[in-house]
Amino acid sequence: MWLPELIDNDQPRYLALVDAISRAIEQGVLKPGDRLPPQRRLAWVLGLNPSTAMQAYREAARRHLVGGEVGRGTYVLAGSREASLFLLKQPDAGPALLDLSTNLPVIDADDFDLQRSLLALGASSDLAELQGYPSPAAMQRGRLAASQWLRGRELEVPPGQLLLCAGAQQGIFAALLGLCEPGEPILVEALTSPGIKAAARQLRLPLHGVAMDQRGILPEEFDRLARATGARVAVLMPCLQNPTGVSMDAARREAIAVLARRHDLLIIEDDVYGALGDEPPLASLLGDRSVLVGSLSKTVAPGLRFGFIVAVEHWLRRIDPEAQATGWALSPLCLRVASEWIEDGTAARRLDWQRQQIERRWRMAQKMLGPRVPAGASPHLWLPARGDEVDLPRMARAASIECAAADVFAVGPGASDAIRLSLSAAPGLVALQHGLKALASELALRRQPNEPTAALSLSSISRQDVSNE
């Protein structure tokens, strides 16, 4: 039986127990699926009040570290660590880390776009409207702006086939909530974003991971899992996939579209990174079997919280019959700024700048880490272990880099030894250069022209049917 060592400090004892559980998961002492001791027994052994142990287990469940059912006990969750990516980082006495764990766009310290927009708003005569809920006129303007933005993705979308939402994560959640029933199988990439895993867990939707290669999900595996699970819905990220950074080429997109039609699958496409790449959305091949979700968060400014859901009216009515559950979450102020930036070209200019910055950072990663960084720039770099390398997250931390480990993204157990580095999250090129140089030294990398590129590794889950059930 696992017995924690409680650190004696000023915090309540139940929080000390929660911290001990968290440390044990982080260090691999407690692994996904491990059963924690019964609350009363643990309280007796540690000399705690049973209510203290109960409070600790509740807090651990709230943090998505553990889950349990009456009569079965409390178990470590397979996806417990992805929540740590979104916790506010607390200052400590340790050395400063270069935080590349969370996917953020590059921030321009010399940017005055928002200042200009707010100054103009301050001189306008309709500020009172921005203190309420979005008006019908503002929502229609936002839909027209989103339609204009999507032309850059080679899509012609009438405003009537658009719902506005407060970012792509809300859009994905709303689509799954409206289109799926609890317990319904959902197909995803074998490595998928923490947001999709979190939404599926909240909605009680079992995920089934489709194996991937350097061009996205494998058609034969997609076909096999569609037959085996009877799934009606798949959630995919065909362009600059998170975490691997791979994009489907034209042949792969066509193959997946053919299979989607054959199995009558509805594809929810997460296109939040799409405008940063060169490939059109998979939605362009799917007709009415598509729900595309996007936003300005990774391309223009995450603080605008401006997202959109694109589908035929039949699916939009299922997702949000009154068109309020999604759009009412928008801030009228952010909606105004986002609409203006799309209309006057500011958003397109910021997108071009973002792409340039990502290209510069990718070239730096190629220079620092050598041939293991593939061609084709992405805001995030997927780095699998190779040779004698073991425990890449530990090696990254030794180089003073905070990263995201493979188990954050893996659907089911058996994650490979790999990390995602969010290059665009670095506060500047100098900090990124120093961090990558330290990582290269830690990995004992030397540029060797004949060394094969290792762009993507799924290790033991690359050919398995993996599920989060």
Side-chain angles (χ1 to χ4, degrees):
M1 181 178 75
W2 170 75
L3 290 177
E5 180 180 347
L6 303 186
I7 296 177
D8 190 12
N9 52 30
D10 294 333
Q11 68 178 339
R13 300 299 282 167
Y14 85 93
L15 288 179
L17 180 51
V18 175
D19 288 346
I21 295 172
S22 179
R23 283 196 308 275
I25 295 173
E26 178 72 23
Q27 296 168 0
V29 177
L30 288 176
K31 298 178 174 57
D34 284 355
R35 183 175 180 177
L36 268 63
Q39 296 174 19
R40 288 186 176 276
R41 184 177 180 187
L42 184 63
W44 182 81
V45 172
L46 296 177
L48 301 174
N49 190 298
S51 64
T52 301
M54 179 184 299
Q55 191 175 8
Y57 277 37
R58 285 178 177 173
E59 176 62 19
R62 189 190 68 80
R63 298 185 190 183
H64 305 297
L65 297 171
V66 300
E69 298 178 8
V70 176
R72 295 188 63 240
T74 303
Y75 295 84
V76 176
L77 291 178
S80 59
R81 292 186 60 196
E82 76 257 29
S84 66
L85 292 182
F86 304 105
L87 293 176
L88 292 175
K89 304 299 187 298
Q90 299 297 326
D92 54 34
L97 296 176
L98 175 62
D99 189 355
L100 305 183
S101 65
T102 306
N103 270 356
L104 303 171
V106 183
I107 302 300
D108 184 3
D110 299 320
D111 166 39
F112 295 100
D113 291 330
L114 185 58
Q115 180 183 15
R116 169 182 55 79
S117 295
L118 293 179
L119 286 172
L121 277 174
S124 67
S125 60
D126 60 349
L127 284 179
E129 294 183 8
L130 303 182
Q131 300 178 51
Y133 291 107
S135 67
M139 294 295 288
Q140 179 65 3
R141 182 182 182 183
R143 285 189 289 268
L144 288 168
S147 179
Q148 177 182 335
W149 177 257
L150 286 164
R151 292 191 191 105
R153 298 289 289 128
E154 302 181 19
L155 291 176
E156 287 292 336
V157 181
Q161 294 184 4
L162 276 162
L163 286 175
L164 299 183
C165 55
Q169 180 62 31
Q170 190 209 7
I172 294 289
F173 188 91
L176 290 172
L177 177 63
L179 299 173
C180 305
E181 297 293 332
E184 181 177 343
I186 306 296
L187 302 185
V188 295
E189 291 101 345
L191 296 168
T192 192
S193 76
I196 291 174
K197 290 176 65 176
R201 183 171 59 242
Q202 287 179 282
L203 296 173
R204 301 184 183 276
L205 299 172
L207 299 180
H208 296 265
V210 183
M212 305 167 66
D213 64 8
Q214 285 81 1
R215 295 189 296 153
I217 59 171
L218 297 167
E220 59 272 22
E221 290 296 298
F222 190 54
D223 181 48
R224 182 183 68 82
L225 275 179
R227 295 175 187 275
T229 64
R232 297 185 305 111
V233 175
V235 183
L236 302 176
M237 188 178 289
C239 186
L240 298 178
Q241 197 264 348
N242 182 22
T244 63
V246 303
S247 295
M248 294 186 188
D249 60 14
R252 182 62 57 86
R253 285 188 291 112
E254 180 62 42
I256 297 304
V258 168
L259 289 170
R261 290 191 292 269
R262 180 183 303 170
H263 294 291
D264 199 26
L265 276 164
L266 178 64
I267 305 297
I268 300 175
E269 180 173 1
D270 186 346
D271 195 50
V272 69
Y273 297 101
L276 297 172
D278 300 318
E279 300 79 11
L282 183 60
S284 61
L285 303 176
L286 294 172
D288 62 1
R289 304 306 303 168
S290 165
V291 175
L292 181 137
V293 180
S295 79
L296 302 185
S297 294
K298 308 299 184 183
T299 53
V300 179
L304 291 179
R305 309 313 304 143
F306 180 86
F308 42 82
I309 305 170
V310 180
V312 297
E313 293 183 22
H314 167 71
W315 298 125
L316 295 185
R317 286 195 300 270
R318 290 271 305 274
I319 294 169
D320 191 357
E322 288 80 28
Q324 292 185 348
T326 50
W328 274 39
L330 285 164
S331 157
L333 176 60
C334 292
L335 178 58
R336 172 76 66 86
V337 174
S339 299
E340 288 181 353
W341 282 9
I342 294 174
E343 292 164 355
D344 66 14
T346 299
R349 172 172 53 78
R350 292 172 69 94
L351 169 62
D352 289 341
W353 182 86
Q354 194 71 217
R355 290 178 59 126
Q356 293 169 14
Q357 296 302 310
I358 290 171
E359 181 66 38
R360 292 179 67 186
R361 291 171 184 235
W362 195 260
R363 289 198 302 267
M364 179 178 290
Q366 289 177 316
K367 181 179 180 180
M368 295 292 104
L369 300 177
R372 70 191 299 163
V373 180
S378 168
H380 41 272
L381 170 64
W382 183 246
L383 203 64
R386 63 179 186 179
D388 295 330
E389 296 168 354
V390 178
D391 196 355
L392 281 188
R394 179 192 60 78
M395 300 177 78
R397 197 167 185 87
S400 296
I401 292 178
E402 189 169 355
C403 63
D407 60 352
V408 171
F409 312 98
V411 179
S416 59
D417 188 1
I419 57 176
R420 186 199 66 184
L421 301 175
S422 298
L423 304 180
S424 56
L429 288 172
V430 173
L432 182 62
Q433 182 181 33
H434 289 164
L436 294 179
K437 185 176 181 180
L439 179 60
S441 177
E442 186 68 26
L443 297 172
L445 280 178
R446 298 294 182 268
R447 299 203 67 176
Q448 300 176 16
N450 296 326
E451 196 170 23
T453 298
L456 176 63
S457 173
L458 298 180
S459 185
S460 61
I461 66 171
S462 62
R463 295 284 177 175
Q464 296 179 13
D465 173 10
V466 291
S467 168
N468 73 341
E469 290 183 283

